[in-house]
């Protein structure tokens, strides 16, 4: 297990749910954390709470559906970190409305792919080259175990595309200390998961941090299921 003290970490979708908890956990391990959500107001309370504890915390904002906003998130993170992001936690996602099969709209496919796959991929494009140059990086792409639910096809296809992104990056990352892995939090009672989910959002820890704290020898391309690590 590595230490992440003073490492710069970006957590997308840090205003609530999984991202909120991951950001807190990274800060408690001494990382310098950049909180992202669509608006800085979403992470203002967490920012204040963590700063009161003495943590180094910054915020960025941007709707990841929007290519210009995505670019500005990337630029802001580069400014904050002097281009040296160490940990990229691609967590933000949207799930479209549960629809009758065959009725998922083009707009739902487009927005789901943009937020859930294109934005994480472009964030990787922006920061992985620097990580490789410095030979350190931890990238966690949050995926989903969703299956056999064609009513949520836009969501599940966008997550499948993200899984594929990770797989096809493996040769590029081979032999480096830049690790890219997937994390499935399990079905949680968050805004996205809904109230019928069996798991408390807090159960995502400590598992959600496992792919951040890996030693180089653990490698890339694995799926970490947070519920496998839960402590009840
Ligand atoms: N909950 C589950 O059961 C479950 C299961 C499997 C996988 N997951 C995955 O776990 C991750 C976190 O899910 P969650 O349950 O914590 O979700 P959540 O509670 O709904 O939180 C979603 C986060 O993403 C941000 N976000 C939403 N739309 C955005 C957009 N257009 N642009 C930028 N940021 C946006 C939100 O920020 P603001 O709204 O404040 O801007 C919020 O911080 C996601 O990748 C999800 O697919 C969740």
């Amino acid at each position: 297990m590595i230490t992440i003290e003073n490492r710069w970490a970006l957590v997308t979708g840090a205003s609530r749910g999984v991202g909120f908890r991951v950001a807190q956990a990274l800060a408690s391990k001494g990382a310098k954390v950049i909180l992202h959500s669509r608006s800085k107001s979403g992470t203002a309370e967490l920012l204040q709470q963590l700063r009161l504890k003495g943590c180094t915390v910054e915020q960025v904002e941007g709707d990841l559906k929007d290519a210009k906003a995505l670019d500005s998130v990337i630029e802001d993170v580069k400014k904050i970190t002097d281009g040296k992001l160490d940990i990229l936690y691609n967590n933000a996602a949207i799930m479209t409305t549960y629809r009758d099969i065959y009725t998922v709209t083009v707009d739902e496919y487009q927005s789901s792919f943009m937020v859930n796959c294109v934005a994480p991929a472009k964030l990787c494009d922006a920061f992985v080259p620097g990580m490789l140059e410095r030979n350190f990086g931890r990238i966690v792409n949050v995926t989903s175990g969703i299956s056999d639910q064609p009513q949520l096809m836009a969501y599940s296809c966008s997550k499948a595309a993200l899984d594929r992104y990770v797989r096809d990056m493996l040769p590029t990352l081979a032999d480096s200390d830049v690790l890219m892995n997937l994390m499935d939090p399990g079905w949680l009672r968050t805004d996205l998961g809904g109230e019928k989910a069996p798991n408390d959002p807090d159960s995502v820890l400590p598992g959600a941090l496992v792919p951040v704290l890996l030693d180089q020898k653990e490698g890339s391309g694995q799926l970490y299921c947070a519920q496998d690590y839960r402590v009840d």
Side-chain angles (χ1 to χ4, degrees):
M1 207 160 74
I2 62 163
T3 59
I4 54 170
E5 224 162 302
N6 289 321
R7 296 283 191 188
W8 273 115
L10 168 65
V11 183
T12 65
S15 59
R16 50 198 159 89
V18 172
F20 181 88
R21 288 161 176 83
V22 166
Q24 282 181 318
L26 290 170
S28 77
K29 295 215 171 285
K32 300 183 282 192
V33 182
I34 305 172
L35 308 172
H36 158 270
S37 71
R38 279 174 296 179
S39 156
K40 284 184 183 171
S41 61
T43 54
E45 218 175 296
L46 180 58
L47 178 95
Q48 203 185 6
Q49 185 198 107
L50 292 176
R51 281 189 176 162
L52 279 174
K53 288 186 181 163
C55 307
T56 302
V57 193
E58 300 291 339
Q59 9 165 227
V60 294
E61 64 182 6
D63 189 329
L64 299 180
K65 262 196 228 120
D66 179 68
K68 276 197 187 134
L70 169 59
D71 280 347
S72 109
V73 167
I74 289 170
E75 283 316 304
D76 289 347
V77 173
K78 282 186 175 165
K79 270 185 214 141
I80 292 169
T81 62
D82 196 21
K84 297 185 179 106
L85 187 71
D86 301 300
I87 298 162
L88 169 57
Y89 211 106
N90 274 319
N91 164 76
I94 52 171
M95 190 165 74
T96 45
T97 319
Y98 196 87
R99 284 189 176 278
D100 287 342
I101 182 170
Y102 307 125
T103 65
V104 179
T105 66
V106 169
D107 183 57
E108 286 171 333
Y109 275 108
Q110 283 176 336
S111 55
S112 300
F113 270 78
M114 187 62 198
V115 178
N116 302 353
C117 180
V118 177
K122 291 312 295 174
L123 283 159
C124 289
D125 289 349
F127 296 107
V128 168
M131 291 176 180
L132 283 169
E133 236 172 77
R134 301 189 304 282
N135 195 32
F136 180 82
R138 294 291 178 271
I139 302 123
V140 182
N141 288 332
V142 181
T143 188
S144 168
I146 190 167
S147 66
D148 303 327
Q149 294 192 56
Q151 300 85 349
L152 294 171
M153 201 62 110
Y155 177 74
S156 61
C157 287
S158 67
K159 290 293 187 181
L162 183 66
D163 297 352
R164 181 60 183 251
Y165 178 87
V166 173
R167 198 188 88 179
D168 285 4
M169 279 299 287
L170 298 182
T172 307
L173 305 176
D175 303 325
S176 76
D177 197 7
V178 178
L179 306 186
M180 183 183 290
N181 286 289
L182 292 158
M183 193 283 289
D184 173 9
W187 190 14
L188 310 173
R189 287 186 296 278
T190 60
D191 292 342
L192 186 147
E195 56 193 27
K196 289 191 188 141
N199 300 303
D200 187 285
D202 287 340
S203 67
V204 79
L205 291 172
L209 237 52
V210 169
V212 174
L213 301 175
L214 296 172
D215 288 312
Q216 178 176 356
K217 63 176 164 43
E218 306 292 340
S220 293
Q222 303 299 315
L223 169 64
Y224 291 89
C225 296
Q227 297 302 315
D228 290 348
Y229 300 86
R230 64 185 285 166
V231 275
D232 289 314

